[in-house]
Amino acid sequence: QLFKRLGGTDGISSLMDALYKIALVDNRIKDYLLKDPDRIKLGQAVYITEMLGGPKQYKGQEISTIHKTLGINDYHFDCFMGDLNRAMMGAGHPESLIDEVLVALEPVRADVLGHSRDAMDGVVMKDGQCLLDRFGGD
């Protein structure tokens, strides 16, 4: 389970702190976060925790509703994911774990951008585990 491999709640919290140190100075996306960075970071942390197999605690608005009027596009989403990648690398996470986390979070792109999800989205990751992990493979 990705949530546990990242260090659980404390690990996600540390990761979000590192991510926001990067994202809040990233001229490509910082304006989306500066309005209320603490609230946004907390909401994202809870949502990402769920996406990676942690406790189900997100009670916020639908992701598509939150982002509907912001004008975020693929470029902005890619920038955020790149910042997440850098934060994970800086924390010393192995490349394989970083790849798994990025793949697990990729389906959120459709919601953030207001696109419909492909029928195959979500099949690869479920509760923070890839298909191989769910079947006990390696």
Side-chain angles (χ1 to χ4, degrees), residues 14-24 44 80 83-84 87:
S14 294
L15 177 59
M16 294 305 292
D17 289 343
L19 169 60
Y20 268 69
K21 284 180 183 173
I22 296 167
L24 288 174
Q44 286 179 340
F80 184 83
D83 289 349
L84 176 59

Side-chain angles (χ1 to χ4, degrees), residues 71-116:
I72 295 173
N73 58 35
D74 282 301
Y75 172 75
H76 301 117
F77 190 87
D78 289 342
C79 292
F80 184 83
M81 294 293 272
D83 289 349
L84 176 59
N85 182 36
R86 282 187 286 288
M88 292 186 72
M89 287 175 55
H93 292 294
E95 285 185 39
S96 59
L97 178 58
I98 295 169
D99 290 346
E100 288 181 70
V101 168
L102 296 177
V103 167
L105 296 177
E106 181 61 32
V108 176
R109 177 186 301 266
D111 296 332
V112 169
L113 302 182
H115 300 154
S116 63

Side-chain angles (χ1 to χ4, degrees), residues 32-95:
Y32 294 108
L33 306 171
L34 287 173
K35 182 177 181 183
D36 193 351
D38 292 333
R39 184 181 60 81
I40 296 169
K41 180 172 72 170
L42 178 61
Q44 286 179 340
V46 172
Y47 190 81
I48 288 171
T49 293
E50 283 190 25
M51 290 287 298
L52 300 180
K56 308 287 187 216
Q57 297 177 334
Y58 183 76
K59 293 176 176 47
Q61 296 178 3
E62 291 292 324
I63 298 303
S64 57
T65 302
I66 293 169
H67 296 88
K68 187 175 186 173
T69 61
L70 297 179
I72 295 173
N73 58 35
D74 282 301
Y75 172 75
H76 301 117
F77 190 87
D78 289 342
C79 292
F80 184 83
M81 294 293 272
D83 289 349
L84 176 59
N85 182 36
R86 282 187 286 288
M88 292 186 72
M89 287 175 55
H93 292 294
E95 285 185 39

Side-chain angles (χ1 to χ4, degrees), residues 22-34:
I22 296 167
L24 288 174
V25 296
D26 184 339
N27 289 326
R28 303 167 302 171
I29 62 170
K30 70 179 182 181
D31 291 340
Y32 294 108
L33 306 171
L34 287 173

